Amino acid sequence: MQFPKLFLLTFFLTVLLFLSGCSPVDTSSCDDTIPSTEAEVMSKINCYRRLAAETLNPDVCDKIQQLAAEATPPQAYPPTFFSQFSDACKLEIIYQSNTSSSRVCKSLATPKIQGMCYSYVAVQSEDPFLCLKGAKLTDQELQGGSSFLECFVTLAVKKNDMRFCNSILNYIDAEYFQLAYPDMPDSSLKDFEAYLPFDCLLSYAYQSKDPAACALTHENRKDYCYQWMANALEDES
């Protein structure tokens, strides 16, 4: 497949700007005070986040990390407090950039936020392998999260293709279950894994309003699927 030169140039510049840094942004409107209370700290964090979102410049998010040296008393804040807000700030820019390159996720230090980034890029790039990469980071922290399933459902809905659900087990491995569900008995894990394609179809049916997906889900899911969809269609009418 050949892409237009303008598209390739635009894509390259977008990734390069994010990775290398953009033009300097005047942050003086947020720099004016040294925070001495939790309310003042949060006010500065939100100021930098708004400015970063307006300018799409991740360097502004780094100013949040620098607050760790200014905030008093420093022991009032967990070690990762400021880095998490800084990463969340960068993730908001990634969401706005519509990027399909997973390289932008590597700069994020918070596992959960980095996982959310990979899940987002998985949908943008239509790469189901990134769903697993993101879920291992996100669901490990959540202990029982469902970001892997949600990623696949979003992919299926975006492509309007329920076959993504049918192939979900081809993109998962034992390590994911060990990370996300370490306390679940093996017998329960096997049942959980077996039902993943059906649960994917269930969510796909609801989000896409496609009754054909209900017909393909497991027998003990069908009535619920049809009822769920009927309620959703009634709410829209």
Side-chain angles (χ1 to χ4, degrees):
M1 177 185 296
Q2 301 227 348
F3 294 95
K5 291 183 178 179
L6 180 59
F7 169 81
L8 292 174
L9 178 61
T10 303
F11 173 77
F12 174 77
L13 289 176
T14 299
V15 174
L16 185 63
L17 283 172
F18 187 90
L19 294 175
S20 306
C22 309
S23 300
V25 173
D26 180 7
T27 60
S28 59
S29 61
C30 302
D31 297 334
D32 55 353
T33 60
I34 296 178
S36 59
T37 67
E38 184 176 345
E40 290 175 354
V41 167
M42 290 308 304
S43 178
K44 290 198 75 166
I45 288 175
N46 290 331
C47 184
Y48 287 128
R49 290 179 71 170
R50 285 193 300 269
L51 186 59
E54 291 170 2
T55 60
L56 297 181
N57 190 322
D59 292 343
V60 178
C61 300
D62 291 332
K63 300 284 285 187
I64 297 175
Q65 179 62 50
Q66 294 170 20
L67 284 175
E70 299 179 14
T72 56
Q75 64 271 21
Y77 303 94
T80 60
F81 180 84
F82 294 100
S83 62
Q84 287 181 2
F85 274 105
S86 178
D87 282 347
C89 174
K90 292 177 181 178
L91 184 63
E92 291 168 2
I93 296 175
I94 291 171
Y95 285 166
Q96 292 186 63
S97 71
N98 297 317
T99 181
S100 58
S101 170
S102 62
R103 292 178 61 192
V104 297
C105 303
K106 295 180 180 179
S107 66
L108 304 175
T110 309
K112 177 183 176 182
I113 296 176
Q114 188 181 51
M116 293 168 66
C117 179
Y118 281 122
S119 295
Y120 171 77
V121 175
V123 176
Q124 292 298 111
S125 62
E126 299 175 7
D127 183 354
F129 286 103
L130 288 177
C131 286
L132 179 61
K133 188 170 186 176
K136 283 183 177 180
L137 292 164
T138 304
D139 290 351
Q140 179 179 10
E141 183 171 334
L142 295 176
Q143 290 290 290
S146 58
S147 64
F148 177 75
L149 176 61
E150 291 169 3
C151 184
F152 254 81
V153 172
T154 306
L155 266 175
V157 172
K158 179 184 179 183
K159 295 294 291 179
N160 193 28
D161 188 351
M162 69 180 74
R163 287 178 297 180
F164 275 101
C165 293
N166 297 330
S167 65
I168 191 171
L169 295 181
N170 296 333
Y171 297 94
I172 202 166
D173 57 26
E175 182 186 22
Y176 168 74
F177 292 110
Q178 293 169 359
L179 291 171
Y181 305 95
D183 300 324
M184 187 179 289
D186 288 344
S187 58
S188 298
L189 278 177
K190 290 180 180 178
D191 289 340
F192 180 83
E193 182 178 5
Y195 275 100
L196 270 177
F198 303 120
D199 290 336
C200 182
L201 286 166
L202 179 67
S203 294
Y204 172 84
Y206 176 75
Q207 294 187 32
S208 64
K209 307 299 184 293
D210 183 357
C214 287
L216 295 175
T217 195
H218 195 274
E219 286 298 326
N220 64 11
R221 298 283 202 274
K222 285 184 180 178
D223 289 344
Y224 178 68
C225 184
Y226 285 123
Q227 184 60 52
W228 196 12
M229 185 178 296
N231 292 339
L233 293 173
E234 184 177 346
D235 290 340
E236 290 185 353
S237 60

